[in-house]
Amino acid sequence: MTLHVPPAPAPALRSVLTALGSPTAVLEARTPSLRTAQGPATPDLPLPVHVLDRITPEGVSATRLAGWRFLIRCGDRAVAAAETMLTPDGWAFSHFFEGPYIASTELALRQAETLPQAYQPRLLSLPGLYMLTLWLHGDCTADGAEGHPAATDLLVPLAPAPPGIAAHRPHRVAELLPVLTHRVTPPTPLLGSPA
C-alpha cells in the first residue's frame, strides 16, 4: 500500500532550500556527509515531528507539533536531515543533522510501504524515553500538523530504541503506550517543594 505523505508548509520547504543553497549553512553544519556529498542535495519526504511530553496511565496523551523534518538526498540515498521550527515569524530552518535515525527512518518508511493498509507517516518523539518512532496515522486525509495517536495507529520505534523495545517492529498505539507508562520516570520534586 502507499504512504500518503502530508504536504509540508511551503515556508518550511523554502527555508530548507535556502539553507541548502547557503554555503555557510552547509559548511557550518555538523554533518560531514552533507558537506562531502557529491551532486545536488534535495529535500525529500517531509514528515511532521510531533512530541508526546506526557503519557497518561491510560496511554493516551496530546501531542504538539515541534517542526517538520526533511530527509536530504544526494543521488539515491539520504545523507542528512533538515529540521524546521515554527517561530513568531513563521516556519524557519533550524539545523541539519545526521546519525542513525536517518537510515532508520528510511528503513521504517520502506517497511511501512509493504503494509496492507494506507497510512499517513509522521514522526513521534517521546523525550522522556529518548525514543523516536515512525507514527503511521490511519487517517490519510488528516492535517499532518494536528491530532494525536489513535488507538489503531501504528508506532514503529526507530533505532536506536530504548533497551527492551525492538526497533522496526510495528505496535498498535493501544498496545505500546500503556507499556511505556511504566518506563517513564516521574519527575522528582525539587528540594523544599511539596511532593
Side-chain angles (χ1 to χ4, degrees), residues 52-75:
L52 185 65
D53 289 314
R54 189 173 54 85
I55 303 172
T56 65
E58 298 79 31
V60 179
S61 185
T63 63
R64 63 180 168 83
L65 181 66
W68 284 79
R69 182 173 296 173
F70 297 78
L71 293 181
I72 304 300
R73 290 201 178 282
C74 285

Side-chain angles (χ1 to χ4, degrees), residues 109-177:
L109 287 166
R110 281 195 307 271
Q111 290 173 325
E113 288 175 343
T114 67
L115 296 172
Q117 179 181 338
Y119 288 100
Q120 182 188 82
R122 304 168 174 199
L123 293 172
L124 182 64
S125 173
L126 294 95
L129 293 171
Y130 302 99
M131 181 177 178
L132 184 65
T133 68
L134 177 64
W135 168 14
L136 299 172
H137 191 52
D139 182 359
C140 295
T141 62
D143 181 346
E146 297 178 358
H148 65 277
T152 56
D153 287 353
L154 296 178
L155 296 178
V156 182
L158 299 180
I165 297 176
H168 298 285
R169 183 175 173 264
H171 301 271
R172 294 244 178 252
V173 167
E175 298 163 357
L176 183 61
L177 286 187

